[in-house]
Structure formats: structure tokens, C-alpha cells
Amino acid sequence: MTAQELQVTRPAAEPESVAVAPDAILPPSNRIINLGAGVGVVLWLLVLAAHRLIPQVGASFKVPADYLTPVALVVLGIFGVTFGIAYRLPTQRPRVLAIYRVLIVLGAVLIPWEVASRLAWIKPPFFPSPSKVIGVYIEDSSKLLLSIAYSMRLLVVGYLIGCIAGVSFGLALGWSRRVSNWSMFWIRLIGPIPATAWIPLAIVIFPNSFTAGVFLIAFASWFPVMMLTWSGVAGVPKALLEAAQTLGADEKRLLRQVVIPAALPSVFVGLFMSLGTAFAILIVAEMLGVKAGLGWYITWAQGWSEYHKVYAAMLVLGALFITVVSGIFKIRDRLLGWQKGILRW
Amino acid sequence: MTTSLPPAGLSVRHLHKIYPPDIVALYDVNLELPLGEFTAIIGPSGCGKTTLLKIAAGIETYQQGAVAFAGEAIAGNPSWKRSVIYQDVRLFPWLSAQANIAFALESKGIPKAEAQQQAREWIVRQGLEAYADAYPAELSGGTRQKIGVCRVLASQPDLVLCDEPFSALDWNARESLQHDLLHYWYEQRKSVLFVTHNVEEAVYLAQRVVLMSARPGVIKEIVDVPLPDERWTVRRDSPQLLDIARYVNNHIADEVRKAQLLEQELGY
């Protein structure tokens, strides 16, 4: 068939190209920044007003140290500084807004708390005033810091041992049929026993409370890490294994360059999950009689009915958890950079 | 009688493959391919051509028969000497484009530094420098398969097994990759076994086209393609090529009809 026989239609002219603006992500507008700063400042002024203007019902002779006023002033200062940054450096606006959101919620919680405390609707020692909780960080800081150090030592040692054991067991189970055939029954039996149920045995076996605590935390983190490593290995696409084999990869290369990278996303889910368990067990383990530690601190403070210390230590635990988790996320993002754009937890 | 036979390439004798419980994928398949031949296998879907290729690669088992390449029994042992270009590419998503090629070279036993060097050269030769450090997820389908083909050809396998490698690609990418494969074959004179369902592609590429019939998979006919080895000089609409393609097409049409009837009978 020649061109003459074909019915050919051609457009008269090239359609004019339409200029499209590049996909710029616009920083949050002035209005949003102003609104955020405005609401925040008003809320924190209210916090300050409630604290300074409402007389304390049932006040004792001893006037407690005032820690809320300096905190409120610092927060107001932060609003001032970040507001300036938002206008000087518009690219920093998303960060500034993130700070605003946290401070606004904190202010909104503090107002009713402070009012209720001033009017003695809630009473110490179980429900102390905000100022009293803040004061713990200043008055009891050395004991608190020592406790953080002890807790972190116990947690890190136990969690690392548990994770290393979990990943190794998981790989062995997923890779070797013989290993899984022989150990399957026992793992199903022993794995789900709560770590706390091991306490009586741990106390007897281990020479001191630190090693017993390490064992309990390691045991608690071992099981989820192992199960998810295993399921990650089991889920390695057969197509990729075949591809590696037909390229001539031997067992060692298959394991190190195909199985482990493919299982890694699942392994990280296990690491994340077991961290929560590890924290829970940490508190229990520190009740076995250690010299210092956050769990110990909480129990000890409760014993003296110093509930403000209990709450202060709880907040520290939360902050520690966030720190450790974001550390794990950093490692994950480095190792799993190839997953860019794939949906993640 | 002392006729000098060409050295044996892929040799398949009385091969039977049954997928339990009762699907006969291959039934008494016999195939002798001379070393260094570019062979295409064509047939309707479900005729067992991919199964045959997998058995040749050593990643599929079989019940009966003997399969060997260059006199060496295959018996379920994959090796870089019999490498596969897959339709779904199968790059390792955690390795960059260049690292994927280096993986193949290292698996062959080439030291790490040298493997990187050679992988780099392949990337440069293909004009893909810009994508050397990109992960597969960041590449287009055509580029991905280009890397996939480089990965296989880089280790210079003696038998290149192709499982419909270009059928999911656009016309441009397909043509350029077909020519890459042809040049490899032409320069190295290694065996190529190309499974496809595209008749024109089979005739354009191969020296001989093996026609397979549907369930059970048996070899029906082998068609010679008397076109010059420098296939890239052959026009795709040359009358000779079209004649052969028409002949093959007619035979395939019979087989497809038979396969469809059979599938209706079996209630698929």
C-alpha cells in the first residue's frame, strides 16, 4: 500500500505548546503563619494569666517554687523568634508550623490543667500542678539523668542482643528447611510465652539484676524480630532467586545479595515492633532491684507518693522512645533508599 | 558413514514434563541444536515453550528424558553459562543499574573491582551513563530491559535463553534490543534460544524457527530462515521474510485453534 492509497490526515500546524509552571511547592502563606503565631501566643498568655492571676485555693505556708512562669515566657520567646524566622526564611515555614502545632496543643492542655490545679479541683499528690511536674526536671535532674543512663544501658544491650539473635534465627529458619523442620514446634511453644513469665527463672539463673534484665529484654525483642525476618525471607520473590541463580550466583551470594536485602523491609517492621515490647519489659525489669533506671525511678517515686516525679519520668520515657525510633528510621532510610516512592509504614 | 556433524549445542532427548497431577506440559520432546545457532521457539500459549526454556536454564525439573548443553548434562543446575533474559526483567530493586550488571559479573567469578569496571563499560556503551546509579524503580520499562540484557550478555553466556524478553516493550526499545542481541550472537557466535509468540520477531531474528503444538507440547516442525546472518541489514518488510512469516503464521493458526478447542474441552 502506498501513501496515496492511504487516507492520511495531518494536523494543519503544531498546536502551540502551553507553558506550565514548574511544580513548585509553595510555602505556607502569611495568613497561616500569622494565625498560628496569634493563636499560640494567646493560649500561652492565658496559661500565664491562669497561673499568675488565679489565687491558689488551699495554699500552704510554704510557697512552692514557680517553674511555669519561666517556661511560659520561654515559649512566648520561641513564638517571637520563630515568627521572625518564618518571615526571613520562607523555606523554614513548614518547620515553624510544626513547632506551632506542638506548642498550641501543649498550651491548650495546660490551661485547664492549671485552672483546675489553682482552684483545687484536682489535688496533689496524685494530680500535681504543671509547675510541680516541670520542677522535677530542675530539682531532681541528677537522679533523673542517672536513671536515663542506666535505662539506656539496659535497653540497648538487651535490645541489641535480642535483635541480633532474632535476625540470625529468622534467617536460618527461612533459609534452611532442616532448621525450620526441627525447631518449628519449639519456637511456637516457647516464643509466645510473655517475657514477664520468665522473671522467676531469670532471677535464679542470672548472677545479678542487670543480666537478668538484659535477658528479659532480649527475649522480648527476639521473638517478633525473628518472626518478621523469617516471613521476610519466606517472601523473597522466587523470580528474583531464579534470576540470581541463572546469573550463576552461589548460595553465599544468594543469601547476602538477594535474600537479606529482599527481607530487610520486613526485618525493620520487626525491629520497630519489638522496640515497643522492649520498652515495656524495661520498666518491669527495673523493678527486679536495680540501682537506678526510669522504671526504678517511677516505682520509687510512687512509693513516696511523689506523683509529679512519676509523670515527669513518663514523659522522659516517651521522649526516649521517639529518639530511639527515629534513630532506627534513619538507619532504615539509609539501607532502604531503593524503596523510594514505595508505600511505607 | 563419517559426516562431520556440527558441535552439539542444546540437546533434548525424550523429554517429558508433567505438572502434577495431570497436566502434560512436554511430551517426548526431541531437539538437537548445533552450537552457535540462533533458534526461536514459537507456539500458542500453554504449549510448554517456557517450560522447555526453564529446563534448559536448570531452574525447572522434569520427569523423564535427557537435557544437555555442549555435551554437559543440565540436570537442574543453573549456571551463568546458560543465562536467561526474562520478560519481566527481574533486576534487583536494591541494586543500582550498574550494580545489577556487576552482580552478574561477580557471580561469574570476576573480582569486584574489575566487575565494576566492566559494568561501567557496558553502561557507557549503551549510552546509559545518566542512569548508572539509578535504582530500577526509577527507570522506564525500556531502559530497565536494556540493563537486563546488558546484565545477561556482560557475562558472555554460551547459551542465551530469552523468555519473550521484548514483548512488553515499545517499538523503539524492542528494535534496539533485538539488534543488540543479534550483534552479540553475530560477533560471539554463541547459542541463542529465543522463546516468543511473535512470528515476525522469530523469523526476523532466528536462523531456525521451531514450531511447537499445544497440550501436550510437542515439536511439530522446524523452519529454516535462509536470510543473511547480518539480520540488521534485512528490511522487516522484505518479501522473503514476509513469506516465511506467512507460512509460520498459517501453521500457528492451526495450533491456536486446536489449543482453543482443547481448552474448551478441558473447561479452562
Side-chain angles (χ1 to χ4, degrees):
Chain A
M1 204 180 283
T2 61
Q4 281 88 36
E5 293 170 57
L6 283 170
Q7 180 81 33
V8 177
T9 316
R10 293 201 177 90
E14 284 287 299
E16 251 178 75
S17 62
V18 183
V20 179
D23 251 12
I25 297 164
L26 294 172
S29 66
N30 291 351
R31 206 179 63 87
I32 296 285
I33 292 288
N34 294 345
L35 189 70
V39 170
V41 167
V42 168
L43 281 174
W44 278 88
L45 284 175
L46 283 174
V47 170
L48 206 53
H51 183 58
R52 307 292 297 188
L53 302 180
I54 302 174
Q56 179 70 54
V57 174
S60 57
F61 300 114
K62 201 179 142 208
V63 179
D66 175 13
Y67 293 107
L68 189 57
T69 309
V71 167
L73 291 177
V74 166
V75 168
L76 287 169
I78 290 173
F79 272 110
V81 172
T82 49
F83 191 68
I85 291 174
Y87 274 88
R88 281 277 168 78
L89 306 164
T91 51
Q92 294 300 312
R93 283 185 176 188
R95 267 189 207 168
V96 169
L97 276 184
I99 295 171
Y100 283 1
R101 285 188 207 106
V102 173
L103 292 180
I104 285 173
V105 172
L106 185 59
V109 171
L110 279 176
I111 294 168
W113 183 6
E114 179 63 20
V115 170
S117 159
R118 285 266 141 190
L119 299 177
W121 293 341
I122 57 170
K123 292 189 182 89
F126 303 125
F127 300 104
S129 67
S131 176
K132 191 121 178 136
V133 174
I134 297 166
V136 175
Y137 298 118
I138 293 142
E139 289 169 357
D140 214 18
S141 60
S142 61
K143 203 180 275 170
L144 208 48
L145 279 174
L146 189 72
S147 288
I148 292 172
Y150 268 74
S151 282
M152 283 307 275
R153 188 180 66 152
L154 188 56
L155 182 79
V156 168
V157 174
Y159 181 64
L160 275 185
I161 292 175
C163 289
I164 291 168
V167 170
S168 326
F169 271 81
L171 283 176
L173 281 172
W175 192 236
S176 160
R177 184 134 288 244
R178 187 178 293 168
V179 171
S180 68
N181 282 347
W182 274 95
S183 48
M184 199 56 249
F185 173 81
W186 302 104
I187 281 166
R188 283 211 188 126
L189 184 75
I190 295 168
I193 298 175
T196 42
W198 288 88
I199 290 177
L201 185 62
I203 294 173
V204 174
I205 294 179
F206 291 95
N208 51 44
S209 56
F210 175 74
T211 44
V214 166
F215 165 77
L216 292 177
I217 294 172
F219 182 86
S221 24
W222 160 74
F223 189 59
V225 172
M226 178 184 66
M227 292 315 273
L228 276 141
T229 304
W230 180 20
S231 92
V233 173
V236 176
K238 192 162 174 265
L240 289 182
L241 286 175
E242 277 181 6
Q245 283 175 323
T246 52
L247 289 169
D250 53 13
E251 286 259 312
K252 194 174 141 202
R253 185 170 296 277
L254 276 185
L255 189 65
R256 283 169 53 171
Q257 299 222 38
V258 182
V259 173
I260 292 178
L264 217 48
S266 176
V267 171
F268 270 101
V269 176
L271 294 182
F272 177 70
M273 275 174 49
S274 65
L275 187 63
T277 330
F279 257 87
I281 299 300
L282 172 72
I283 303 307
V284 179
E286 283 179 341
M287 292 170 182
L288 298 182
V290 287
K291 287 197 196 74
L294 287 167
W296 164 84
Y297 187 89
I298 288 173
T299 326
W300 173 80
Q302 188 207 1
W304 290 96
S305 265
E306 294 179 311
Y307 273 75
H308 51 291
K309 290 187 178 173
V310 173
Y311 302 135
M314 280 166 65
L315 285 176
V316 170
L317 269 176
L320 275 186
F321 188 78
I322 293 179
T323 313
V324 178
V325 163
S326 51
I328 291 178
F329 278 14
K330 278 234 168 71
I331 298 171
R332 180 202 63 181
D333 290 347
R334 263 187 93 102
L335 289 176
L336 298 183
W338 54 273
Q339 277 198 321
K340 250 178 284 174
I342 299 172
L343 191 69
R344 278 194 252 159
W345 42 281
Chain B
M1 208 171 88
T2 52
T3 44
S4 63
L5 285 164
L10 186 68
S11 154
V12 179
R13 281 177 199 161
H14 303 296
L15 180 65
H16 295 255
K17 167 72 186 177
I18 297 156
Y19 286 109
D22 58 353
I23 295 170
V24 183
L26 298 171
Y27 184 80
D28 199 24
V29 168
N30 289 283
L31 193 61
E32 297 289 336
L33 303 175
L35 201 61
E37 188 186 73
F38 198 131
T39 321
I41 300 185
I42 200 154
S45 60
C47 74
K49 51 193 196 295
T50 296
T51 304
L52 182 59
L53 183 128
K54 280 180 149 182
I55 289 173
I59 50 176
E60 185 71 86
T61 56
Y62 49 91
Q63 277 82 8
Q64 231 185 77
V67 187
F69 180 73
E72 217 176 295
I74 289 168
N77 282 322
S79 155
W80 64 267
K81 292 176 184 164
R82 293 171 269 110
S83 206
V84 185
I85 304 176
Y86 299 92
Q87 180 182 2
D88 52 351
V89 196
R90 306 190 182 181
L91 295 180
F92 302 114
W94 46 86
L95 296 181
S96 70
Q98 188 177 320
N100 261 287
I101 300 174
F103 178 97
L105 292 162
E106 280 179 51
S107 298
K108 186 188 172 181
I110 294 173
K112 213 168 185 171
E114 166 134 26
Q116 284 294 340
Q117 172 80 22
Q118 285 189 28
R120 183 80 203 168
E121 282 163 20
W122 275 89
I123 294 264
V124 171
R125 208 175 311 151
Q126 290 283 335
L128 297 172
E129 292 100 319
Y131 304 112
D133 297 323
Y135 290 113
E138 301 164 324
L139 302 173
S140 71
T143 312
R144 232 177 273 167
Q145 189 56 292
K146 263 185 197 166
I147 301 291
V149 170
C150 285
R151 185 172 72 162
V152 166
L153 299 187
S155 50
Q156 307 205 319
D158 300 321
L159 173 60
V160 184
L161 298 157
C162 306
D163 189 8
E164 306 190 19
F166 310 140
S167 52
L169 301 180
D170 63 86
W171 185 83
N172 259 327
R174 186 183 310 153
E175 180 166 86
S176 107
L177 283 170
Q178 283 175 344
H179 286 176
D180 285 346
L181 190 60
L182 280 172
H183 280 287
Y184 174 81
W185 169 73
Y186 185 79
E187 282 151 26
Q188 309 273 339
R189 292 292 161 170
K190 308 271 195 186
S191 299
V192 180
L193 189 64
F194 197 99
V195 164
T196 179
H197 57 250
N198 182 333
V199 173
E200 282 73 21
E201 185 176 44
V203 175
Y204 180 69
L205 293 173
Q207 292 179 297
R208 290 202 296 168
V209 178
V210 177
L211 302 184
M212 281 184 79
S213 73
R215 277 162 219 217
V218 289
I219 288 169
K220 217 187 146 197
E221 206 175 322
I222 298 180
V223 182
D224 282 312
V225 183
L227 292 172
D229 284 355
E230 299 87 349
R231 286 298 167 88
W232 53 92
T233 62
V234 177
R235 285 176 59 100
R236 277 171 203 268
D237 57 356
S238 86
Q240 214 179 348
L241 197 152
L242 292 179
D243 277 346
I244 302 165
R246 195 172 306 124
Y247 174 84
V248 175
N249 256 325
N250 289 338
H251 274 65
I252 291 293
D254 287 347
E255 286 311 319
V256 169
R257 221 168 298 130
K258 236 171 70 187
Q260 281 168 349
L261 279 176
L262 225 135
E263 285 187 3
Q264 277 168 14
E265 246 171 70
L266 292 172
Y268 285 107

